[in-house]
Amino acid sequence: MEVIYSKAEREMCEAYARIAAPQEYRTMFDHICNVAKPYGNMHPEAWINKMIVKTISLYESYNEDMQASSMIEDVLHDAAIKHMNFK
């Protein structure tokens, strides 16, 4: 089943993906549900989840190197621990 997004929803997801981190998306979309009625006849929680999924996918496409950099940091940390002298 394909999820349909309105133009305004897509633009909102794109803006949030550029200005915020994924851990903040639920708070922001929850606030929108508190102050305005979401598009369509969806329950607010379903609409929030739909928007979070789209925004995270956009965030990941905008920040493709983010995952690799955290893996490199883990490898460097493991190497530093390996070379410590535990006496």
Side-chain angles (χ1 to χ4, degrees), residues 21-39:
Q23 59 268 24
E24 299 164 349
Y25 296 156
R26 177 162 297 280
T27 305
M28 294 185 325
F29 287 122
D30 190 36
H31 176 71
I32 288 174
C33 285
N34 289 337
V35 298
K37 183 182 182 295
Y39 293 99

Side-chain angles (χ1 to χ4, degrees), residues 72-87:
I72 292 169
E73 287 177 14
D74 291 342
V75 169
L76 292 174
H77 179 70
D78 291 344
I81 290 174
K82 183 179 178 182
H83 294 291
M84 288 181 167
N85 189 359
F86 293 105
K87 286 187 181 181

